[in-house]
Amino acid sequence: QVQLVESGGGLVQPGGSLRLSCAASGFTLDDYAIGWFRQAPGKEREGISCISSSDGSTYYADSVKGRFTVSRDNAKNTVYLQMNSLKPEDRAVYFCAAGWRNEYIYWGQGTQVTVSS
């Protein structure tokens, strides 16, 4: 059974940090590009980061560049998103997705991140 499960979300204060995990089962994660997305209430889903399957290159949206870092642990079949210097506007449900060429075909259910004093 193909599955992606996000974890690591929670409540943090502005300036704090969280590390999100995206764990794959039923397929080998490093065969796919892995994207991170987020969606806040009333807003469209936003792509914020991606790590490629071929050479490990990474991409970041301007809104998170310099604060977020995506990485792979192939032995654990897991991708991480390290989030530092969190801001209230980072509050959203965060999703990971596995991509093949031009399409993301597997999606997790999301994990809630709340940034508040």
Side-chain angles (χ1 to χ4, degrees), residues 63-81:
S63 58
V64 306
K65 190 175 297 181
R67 300 187 297 123
F68 291 11
T69 304
V70 64
S71 61
R72 287 181 182 268
D73 186 337
N74 291 333
K76 295 182 177 180
N77 214 25
T78 299
V79 167
Y80 301 98
L81 184 67

Side-chain angles (χ1 to χ4, degrees), residues 2-46:
V2 172
Q3 190 173 24
L4 286 173
V5 178
E6 302 95 337
S7 62
L11 173 65
V12 296
Q13 294 184 332
S17 297
L18 285 173
R19 188 179 71 166
L20 305 184
S21 299
C22 175
S25 60
F27 68 102
T28 301
L29 187 147
D30 66 1
D31 289 335
Y32 297 82
I34 302 298
W36 284 96
F37 301 81
R38 66 185 182 185
Q39 188 165 26
K43 295 184 178 180
E44 296 292 325
R45 181 177 291 171
E46 175 191 14

